Amino acid sequence: PKTMLQSGGENLASFNRSLGGSDKAKQAASDYLAQQWRDIVTNPSNGTVKKDWRNQSSKFLRDYDYVLRDYPELKTKLDLAVKRSA
């Protein structure tokens, strides 16, 4: 999913078609994006939050903004996670 999601446009549409329907594709993409965000903001060795997690989270949200527009529920959850941790 990484290449498809980072490319946007037709590649994202192709990803959706390859999974046989938008609901299934959207769930797979949403799960993947959520995991990528978790990987960026937490330490893999112990699961604690990284010191620069806010900067990393902001960068992630900017980098994937065009994709997250198609996943408003996920974007809302990520935004809430950041706000609740402030």
Side-chain angles (χ1 to χ4, degrees):
K2 182 177 183 178
T3 303
M4 298 290 186
L5 292 173
Q6 288 179 334
S7 301
E10 179 55 35
N11 284 334
L12 185 55
S14 176
F15 173 74
N16 286 334
R17 287 190 303 272
S18 72
L19 290 179
S22 64
D23 289 344
K24 188 175 180 181
K26 281 196 170 211
Q27 187 60 53
S30 180
D31 292 349
Y32 174 80
L33 287 166
Q35 184 61 50
Q36 291 302 300
W37 182 80
R38 281 190 294 275
D39 290 348
I40 286 169
V41 301
T42 59
N43 292 306
S45 60
N46 58 16
T48 60
V49 177
K50 294 178 181 177
K51 290 181 183 180
D52 67 340
W53 75 269
R54 282 190 177 89
N55 291 335
Q56 294 298 322
S57 179
S58 293
K59 182 179 180 329
F60 176 87
L61 293 172
R62 280 191 312 272
D63 290 350
Y64 285 96
D65 180 63
Y66 65 95
V67 175
L68 288 169
R69 284 184 230 147
D70 288 341
Y71 304 92
E73 290 177 14
L74 175 60
K75 183 167 182 3
T76 299
K77 287 179 184 177
L78 296 178
D79 287 339
L80 268 171
V82 172
K83 287 177 185 173
R84 286 183 179 164
S85 299

